[in-house]
Amino acid sequence: MQNISLEKPLKIAVLDMYDNVAGEGMRCIINLINEFRTQKNIEVITEVFNVRANTEIPSLEHDIYISSGGPGSPLPSDEAWEKPYFALIDSIFEHNKSEEVLNGESTPKFMFLICHSFQLVARHLEIGKVTKRKSTSFGVFPVNPIDKTIKESLFEGLPEPFFVVDSRDYQLVSPNLKIIKELGVQILRMEKERPHVNLERAIMAIRFSKEVFGTQFHPEADAQGMLKLLSSDEKRKAVIKTHGIEKYNDMITKLDDPDKIMLTESIIIPTFLEKAYSTISQQLVLGEMA
């Protein structure tokens, strides 16, 4: 697609789902946005919305939405932020299917859903069951394709399988094939194969629509943040207790491997931002020419 610069600022809403719990995810997301802005040499307005702690919900005036991971349960609750959050999700899908967008009179809204947000939206759309895991999944793991013939543009340049940062107590399993077909959803990646474990493999990546994408893993995670987490006494003991000292050392080694976490971080969200920006730019130009 021809690269055309926007005459107006690109507006990005970052939905902070960490509920005021300290973590590395928000730093990583903001860093990737800033790197994209510098690389493209464009004006970007980034606004952060503290969704769970302050019930801050963005309007539809933004071009791109990135909804973060976060701690705690993604199961139904009566917390004040849930209804307006899902109302935003529904409005993004509805906007993208509107006549204005289809006719090129308005630009689509793009959204990336990470981990906790991925679970919430998958539950909201009834794509599968969100359940608590028997134990926490934390570390650097490979993810496998559902169908190698399906080409996903956000994964171009990644090996098969590629490695991701996984950090979760919950999982999306048991895909609802009827709903998936009705919505036109594509399930793209599954949890690593574990022949010796008699448990259902979790769904790890979904294309919800042309504009909305989500991952169960953390594509924003960088080596710096993971090393900080793995070096903490709590995480080090937890990983060693669950996986053993050899697996722990292997995770540390993978952080320095340019073909693993560093590669995943450098491709998925940057490609998402690039494709969203290109589509919005192109549609604005076509609208002016119409």
Side-chain angles (χ1 to χ4, degrees):
M1 181 177 290
Q2 184 183 1
N3 189 21
I4 302 169
S5 296
L6 287 172
E7 293 185 1
K8 65 170 189 172
L10 186 70
K11 299 190 72 174
I12 301 179
V14 180
L15 283 69
D16 179 353
M17 306 296 286
Y18 280 90
D19 202 17
N20 286 346
V21 175
E24 294 294 311
M26 290 298 295
R27 175 188 63 81
C28 293
I29 291 169
I30 298 300
N31 281 352
L32 287 170
I33 293 172
N34 289 338
E35 287 170 8
F36 173 75
R37 180 194 63 203
T38 301
Q39 177 195 8
K40 302 299 294 184
N41 191 28
I42 58 172
E43 186 179 357
V44 175
I45 297 175
T46 303
E47 292 185 78
V48 176
F49 296 83
N50 192 341
V51 176
R52 293 170 68 191
N54 297 343
T55 318
E56 295 173 359
I57 306 292
S59 68
L60 269 183
E61 68 176 3
H62 298 81
D63 301 297
I64 297 172
Y65 301 77
I66 300 178
S67 193
S68 79
S73 170
L75 301 179
S77 77
D78 57 1
E79 293 179 13
W81 60 269
E82 276 210 17
K83 284 185 178 179
Y85 176 79
F86 289 132
L88 171 67
I89 299 299
D90 290 339
S91 67
I92 288 173
F93 280 108
E94 288 166 9
H95 172 83
N96 290 338
K97 291 186 289 186
S98 69
E99 290 296 323
E100 289 81 3
V101 171
L102 295 176
N103 293 334
E105 298 166 9
S106 178
T107 57
K109 308 296 180 180
F110 288 83
M111 189 168 209
F112 200 106
L113 304 159
I114 300 171
C115 196
H116 190 86
S117 299
F118 170 88
Q119 295 166 347
L120 286 168
V121 174
R123 169 174 68 79
H124 177 63
L125 298 177
E126 300 181 341
I127 286 170
K129 293 180 181 177
V130 176
T131 64
K132 200 170 193 312
R133 288 176 52 86
K134 282 196 168 184
S135 61
T136 299
S137 177
F138 180 81
V140 178
F141 304 112
V143 289
N144 299 90
I146 300 290
D147 183 345
K148 291 183 179 179
T149 65
I150 297 175
K151 302 301 180 184
E152 171 50 56
S153 61
L154 299 194
F155 297 157
E156 287 180 11
L158 291 170
E160 291 293 0
F162 60 85
F163 283 79
V164 303
V165 169
D166 197 18
S167 178
R168 59 196 166 89
D169 292 313
Y170 291 81
Q171 61 186 351
L172 173 64
V173 293
S174 304
N176 185 331
L177 299 181
K178 182 175 180 291
I179 294 291
I180 287 169
K181 184 177 180 180
E182 287 175 0
L183 297 178
V185 167
Q186 268 193 329
I187 296 177
L188 298 168
R189 295 278 153 167
M190 295 290 288
E191 198 171 26
K192 66 174 183 175
E193 293 188 62
R194 299 169 297 171
H196 58 289
V197 178
N198 188 27
L199 292 172
E200 191 172 2
R201 291 164 66 202
I203 298 165
M204 299 299 286
I206 290 176
R207 178 160 287 287
F208 293 88
S209 70
K210 285 193 302 182
E211 302 85 8
V212 181
F213 197 89
T215 62
Q216 174 66 94
F217 55 87
H218 287 267
E220 82 284 12
D222 61 10
Q224 173 190 339
M226 273 301 289
L227 184 59
K228 181 178 178 181
L229 285 173
L230 283 167
S231 299
S232 71
D233 192 53
E234 180 186 357
K235 281 297 184 184
R236 184 177 60 82
K237 288 179 179 178
V239 171
I240 292 173
K241 181 180 179 181
T242 304
H243 301 288
I245 186 64
E246 288 187 9
K247 187 66 177 178
Y248 175 81
N249 290 333
D250 181 59
M251 289 180 188
I252 297 293
T253 301
K254 284 186 172 73
L255 295 180
D256 287 327
D257 189 333
D259 294 327
K260 291 188 169 60
I261 294 308
M262 286 188 276
L263 183 62
T264 301
E265 181 220 359
S266 73
I267 287 181
I268 296 179
I269 290 182
T271 304
F272 166 78
L273 291 171
E274 170 65 34
K275 290 186 177 298
Y277 167 74
S278 296
T279 300
I280 292 165
S281 302
Q282 186 79 8
Q283 192 139 329
L284 283 173
V285 170
L286 292 174
E288 290 174 0
M289 294 171 60

